[in-house]
Every structure is written in structure tokens, then in C-alpha cells.
Amino acid sequence: MTVLRRLLAAVRRGSRPDSAPPSRSRRGRGWVPYLLVVLTAAASLAGLAVRPPTGVPGDSADYVIVAGAAGLRWDDLDPRRTPALWQEATRGSVGWLSVRSAHHATCPADGWLTLGAGNYAVWNAGRVAGQCPTLAPALEQPDGIGANLPELSGVVRANADRQPYGAVPGALAESVRCTVAVGPGAAVAAARPYGRVDRYVPALPDDPRSLFTQCVLSVVDLGTITGSGAARRQRVAEADAALARVLAARPERSLMVIAGVSDTDTYSRLHVAIAEGPGWQGGWLTSAGTGRDGYLQLVDLAPTILTALGKPAPEKLFNGRTASTVQGRPASPDDSMLGSHDANRRAGVQLGITDTFFTGLAAVQMAIFLLVVPLMMRGRRHVGPTGPAAPPRMLMLGVELLLIAAALAIPAALLADAFPWWRAGRPGIAFALLALAVTAIGTAAVRSAPRFARTLWPMGLVGASAVAVVGVDLLTGAQLQLNGVAGYSAIEGARYAGVGSVGLGVFVAGALVVAGCAAQWVRRPWRPVIVVLVGGFAVIMVGSPYLGADPTGAIAVTAGVCVAAAISTGGWLTFPRIAWSTVAGLAVTIGFAVLDLRRPPLEQGSVGRFLAALLDGTAGPAIQRAATSSGHALDSSLTILALVGALMLAFSQFSPWGGLNRVFGLHPALRAALAGTTVTVVLAGILGGAAFAVAGAAAAIAVPLFVLTTLRVLAHAADRTRPEGETDGPGGPGLSLRRDEASARADKSGTEGATVR
């Protein structure tokens, strides 16, 4: 205990003000913060270098049959109406299929084309309104054996010239000796880049046994599932009957892949994915591309097919990863994919509420900031001995609670996703009530803290709460963020596991706010230690493939932590500090990329793949994809949150009434926290193609906390007399100028004194 007390006494802040120059005994220790930054970079690199193993089934197949049905969803399956589909789902490995393509709406032609390209492709870039057009590609059969698609060569050129993904339709067919296609959709997937389909029949023959042994890869179009009610059930039954004929004719040692290859309208959904055959008996489907058990992408099917056949994937053409199976799912589809386990229902409801939630949050925060502006103006220091009366205490307390609630809104929305609100009859109302209740409970907990009256206490508590919510979620598999209102949607296909853009912004802002508040509690030489320890924890949580699985985000966090640590002791971001921060950030970035490059291509992360493309001169499409993704992200309501927060911070710092500069003068570690957060969110938006999404989430929690702290500092900024008949002014209770005998004597000597009572 004695040693601990001595350590605390050594690190705690003494009576020396931050503006005082360092003592001579400490001037020689200026290298300590930079050493700690370098050590943090090394520790972060070690944490990022460890990756989970990515295995694939060891058994191979002699034949692969792909049976696809555009629009087929898990809620279409029934043990009585679709016995063949139900049997395959029970015996094989299953998952939710994201059918993302290069088009904003994946129509049947886009889905079949993406399947054959193993990459995000588009048949026609024209805008789709309502229902998708009927799949009717031009087909020629000059020899009666195969078929030609005369349009495909133009489609290949359009994907190469106008799309940023580098997709080559027909890459899957080019990787095998010959293919068989049954139906028009199958012809699109099985055609070679110049439009030739090796074997083609428009419909299943009476006895298709000999058909499936002609080539190692066969693709069957089971039809398009559209509509609702009885008409939809009839189409599903017809597809199931066709699948039953395929199953009866499949050769020995064949792998059966069943997929709902696309949507049928502009409303995106998750679809059926089943793999049944050697090495695929039971379990969840997954891949390194999703990192989530039970989730698969359409682009993952092509490399999975080639791996099952024992053939290599074409270099740099496929964007997907080979699927694998993970045991542990219930045997019956009822207990794994339907009813309360219907991920498609949850994801669809989430997509409909997310934009409304963030737009509403931006409107609420803007209204609160407009309410705060007059209070800041009232708290401005006046030149005269008297000033306007301080606002009523209850008004100030109410505004503080509103700011705390606004900062807790996104963590509360994450916690709300722990409850199955999406099953309610009116899920939007259920979510709103649940999120408001969680926000109210969190605000009350912060208000009841014993040290709530201290200036930085609410800021530290709210920041710690945000870190705890996102951190615990990552430690438990990011279940709250997956298909959550404040998370990410598997339907959109951008992320399936780890930390999303919103979670990254909230986590980083909370961690650096906590680091800034904690650093203010200790002496200046120890402040970089606090920032480095908290920041190193954040880097590992974000970048570890077992947790956040976001290496580009980890690089951005590293840069922000380096900047925050460099200026946490006070002063400006000088050239030496920038140099040290840059060196540390580059050390993590280059080190992780080099380690990533040593892995096989299909196991590399995003940083390693980008660096490999940069080295061989093919990084242009990757940069174009990031720019395109950022352009699409600008439409997000999170952009409004980022702009509202930036305007409020600018007003607080640069207007005559703002007190943010005074906050930074009294608490320089908070300026470091804000600078580090800004650097992080800007880099994360650029590197991750998220535009202002990360910045908006970070602003939603950080800006209300800085505004609250500014109000508290302004409330005690000026000593002034009490206006007659009023309460104490903005100088705060108990602070006033009074003329006493000492001041009277000072008046006689030409000076005026003040005492604090």
C-alpha cells in the first residue's frame, strides 16, 4: 500500500499550473513521451500481427452443381411445400447470402453475372425503378451443343472501363475445362468472357444424369422467385421440384451449391446459401471475406467452387474468399434460419430505421446547441465590474443533462439492439421507446455520480461508458453492431464482423476523451503515459482480427494517439512532435503491411492487398473503389452530424462568446484528445472509404461533451459583483468582488483589490 501511495503521489498533479515552465530537473526528460509513443507503436503492431486461422474443407469433389434461383429467401422454405430444399438445408452447411454486386440493386442478370465473375459485376448500369427487368439475354445456338451470348463482350468491356472492381465476367468458366448451363441465368454465369457457353440446354431434360457428367461444373437456373402469397409459393414449389430432379441425377462425389443469386426489386435482402456434399455436412457457412459464422457473399461462391474442384483461382480477378464450414448450428432450419433467428427480417427493419435515427439525432443536437448559444453569450466576460446574472441553476442543470443524453444516444442505441425490438408489430416505435429509456437511465446514472459537480467528471463518465459499450460488444463478437441501427447491415455487404464506422467513431472519441480527462489528473510528464496506454488499448481493440478486425482503422487510431500524446503536455503541434508522431504511425502501418504481405493472397487483409496492388501498379481500381465508397457515404445522415458538430466547435472556439480556448488553456490534455480524435476520424474516413461516417459518430459523442465542459468553465470564468437584486453572476456561487477595508486602503494607493469569499 505504501508503494502504491507513493506511485500515485508521484503521478498526480501538484500545485504547479500548466502554464508554468518545467523545472530544471525535468527538462532532460523530454524524450520520455516520444519513447512511449514508439513503444506503443511496437505493442500495437504485435497485437495486429496475430490473425485467426482460415481453414477450408479438406475433401474435394469430382463435380460441382450450382443450382440458383433469383429471389429465393429462407422464409420461402417449408418442410412440406419444399421438401428438396428443406432436405438440403438439413443435411448441408447453410448461411445467409449477401448478393451485393456492382449495381445499387442486384437484379437477376447482375447476380448471375457476379457469380460467374467471382467479383462485383453489373449487366446494365441503368437505374432500376420498382421491379427488376425480366432476365432475357440474347442467346444463339448455332451448333446445337453450346450457346453464344453476343452481348457479353460489350458487358465485359463496360465492367472494365466503368466499374472500379476489376471484374471479368466469365472468369469462373475460364478456370475450368468446360461448363454446362441449364436456363438463361445459368448461361450468363457459365459463359466465357467472349460469350461462349460450352454446353447449353434451355430446360432440364427428362433424364439429366448424362448432362451433369459432361463437365466438372454445371449451373442450373431454377427460375425467378417474385411476388407474394400464393403466386410466390407456387414459384418456390416449381423451383423445389426442379431441384429434386437435379438431386436425383447428381453424380457421385459431387458438391451441391444452392443459392438465391439476386434480388428481384430495389429492396435488398439476404438470401439462401446451402453447400452439401463431401466436407459440407452440417454447420454454418462462412468465409474470410465476411469473418462471421453463417454469412457468405455471392462473390465467395466462385473461389469456393474452384477450391472444391482442386483448381487454383485466377490471380487478381476474384474478389471473394473460399467458403468454409463451422460446426455448432442447430440441425433443423427452423432453429437456425427461421422465426426468431431470421436475420433477413432484422437486417431489413434495421435498414429502414437507421437513417431516421441519425437524422433525428442530428436535429436534436442542433436544437440543443442553439439553446446553448445564448448561455455562452451570457457567460461572456464583460469589461465592467458587473455583468448579467448567471442563468438559473435548474436551467443550467437541465441543459447539462440534455447534452449528456445527446452524447449517450448512440451507445444507448447499441444497447437497445440487445433486445429483440425488431419482432414488434411496429418496430420503429419499439426501438425509439427502448433507446429513449436506455438513454434516460444512462443520463440518470451520470447525474447521480458522487463527483458530478467536478468540471471533467461528466465528460470522463460518458466517454468511459461509450468505450465500455463498444468494447464489450467487440469482446462478445460484435453481436450488437451486426444488423443493428447503430451498427452495420449484412444486406449492404460492406462489413459483417468487427467494428463498423459508427462503432469506430464512438469508440475512438470515447477512448481519447477518457485519456484526456485522466491525463489532466496527473503531472505533465506523465500525461503522455496515460494517453499512450489508453490509445494502445484502442489500437489493439480496433485492429485485432479477433476483435475489431479493421486494420485501416487501427492505422488511423495510431496516428491520432501519436498526435494526442505529443501535445498532451501542452504547447502546439511543433515540427519535432509531428515528426515523431509520423514515424510512429508509419512504423505501425509499414510493419503491419509487410507482415500481411507474407501471407497467402487469399488470407491477406485490406492493407496487404492494397500494398500488393501498389507494388505491381494495379492500385488504381482500389483507390477508385475507396473514392466511390466515400462518395456514396456522403449521402448518409452521419454527414449532417459531422457538419453540425464541426460548426458548434468552430463557434465555441472562434466566436467572442465561445469558451473552448479557455477550456484548452486550463485543460491542455483535452485539446490533445480533440486533436487526436480529429486526425483519427479524417484518416479513417479516407482510408476506409467511409467519408464522414466515422466523423459523424465521433462528433455525436464528443461535441456535446466539449460543449458541456465549455459551459462549466464559462460559469466560473469571471469574477464580478452581484447585480442588485440578482444572484451571483457567471463567476459562480461564492465568487464576487466586495470592497472591504483592504480594498479601501488599496483605493487610497490607486489600486483596487479583490478578495474571494
Side-chain angles (χ1 to χ4, degrees), residues 667-685:
H667 310 289
L670 294 186
R671 183 179 64 181
L674 183 59
T677 302
T678 303
V679 170
T680 298
V681 299
V682 170
L683 285 179

Side-chain angles (χ1 to χ4, degrees), residues 378 380 382 384-390 720-723 726-730:
R378 195 169 181 177
R380 179 171 68 97
H382 293 266
T386 63
R720 65 193 65 177
T721 56
R722 182 183 305 172
E726 300 291 343
T727 60
D728 289 301

Side-chain angles (χ1 to χ4, degrees), residues 5 53 76 114 118 128 154 174 231 370 382 435 462 489 506 574 687 689 700:
R5 288 175 181 173
D76 291 322
T114 296
V128 177
E174 285 288 271
L370 292 176
H382 293 266
V462 174
S489 173
V506 170
T574 61
L687 297 177

Side-chain angles (χ1 to χ4, degrees), residues 441-726:
I441 293 172
T443 304
V446 174
R447 173 63 184 87
S448 61
R451 300 186 179 184
F452 176 78
R454 296 198 173 188
T455 303
L456 302 184
W457 200 251
M459 173 180 275
L461 276 180
V462 174
S465 300
V467 171
V469 170
V470 179
V472 171
D473 183 43
L474 293 179
L475 291 172
T476 55
Q479 299 298 327
L480 299 180
Q481 294 183 72
L482 175 66
N483 297 327
V485 171
Y488 41 80
S489 173
I491 289 178
E492 292 182 333
R495 175 168 284 273
Y496 303 86
V499 64
S501 298
V502 175
L504 177 61
V506 170
F507 186 77
V508 170
L512 288 177
V513 161
V514 169
C517 293
Q520 260 327 113
W521 184 69
V522 303
R523 293 179 181 271
R524 282 193 301 178
W526 289 96
R527 288 175 187 172
V529 179
I530 301 298
V531 175
V532 163
L533 290 177
V534 177
F537 163 76
V539 171
I540 294 176
M541 288 291 293
V542 170
S544 171
Y546 293 95
L547 300 171
D550 187 2
T552 57
I555 291 169
V557 177
T558 301
V561 170
C562 291
V563 170
I567 63 175
S568 60
T569 56
W572 299 99
L573 193 59
T574 61
F575 180 77
R577 289 175 169 179
I578 293 177
W580 276 97
S581 302
T582 304
V583 168
L586 287 176
V588 174
T589 305
I590 296 174
F592 177 71
V594 169
L595 290 174
D596 211 13
L597 281 173
R598 298 172 64 89
R599 300 186 177 96
L602 291 181
E603 296 182 10
Q604 289 176 359
S606 57
V607 176
R609 281 181 287 169
F610 177 77
L611 185 59
L614 195 64
L615 293 175
D616 61 20
T618 60
I623 297 174
Q624 185 181 357
R625 286 196 299 271
T628 302
S629 179
S630 292
H632 293 159
L634 287 175
D635 296 336
S636 170
S637 50
L638 287 165
T639 302
I640 304 175
L641 272 170
L643 295 177
V644 169
L647 290 174
M648 188 60 195
L649 286 178
F651 172 84
S652 301
Q653 184 167 8
F654 301 114
S655 73
W657 305 281
L660 194 56
N661 281 329
R662 186 171 182 85
V663 173
F664 292 159
L666 294 172
H667 310 289
L670 294 186
R671 183 179 64 181
L674 183 59
T677 302
T678 303
V679 170
T680 298
V681 299
V682 170
L683 285 179
I686 294 173
L687 297 177
F692 294 112
V694 183
I701 180 174
V703 175
L705 295 179
F706 276 95
V707 171
L708 184 150
T709 305
T710 301
L711 282 177
R712 288 193 161 194
V713 169
L714 283 175
H716 300 280
D719 293 339
R720 65 193 65 177
T721 56
R722 182 183 305 172
E724 185 176 355
E726 300 291 343

Side-chain angles (χ1 to χ4, degrees), residues 74 77 85-87 89-90 94 329-339 341:
W74 279 106
L77 272 64
L85 285 167
W86 195 268
Q87 170 190 304
T90 303
V94 301
R329 79 169 178 95
S332 173
D334 264 332
D335 300 326
S336 55
M337 314 302 291
L338 301 175
H341 310 284

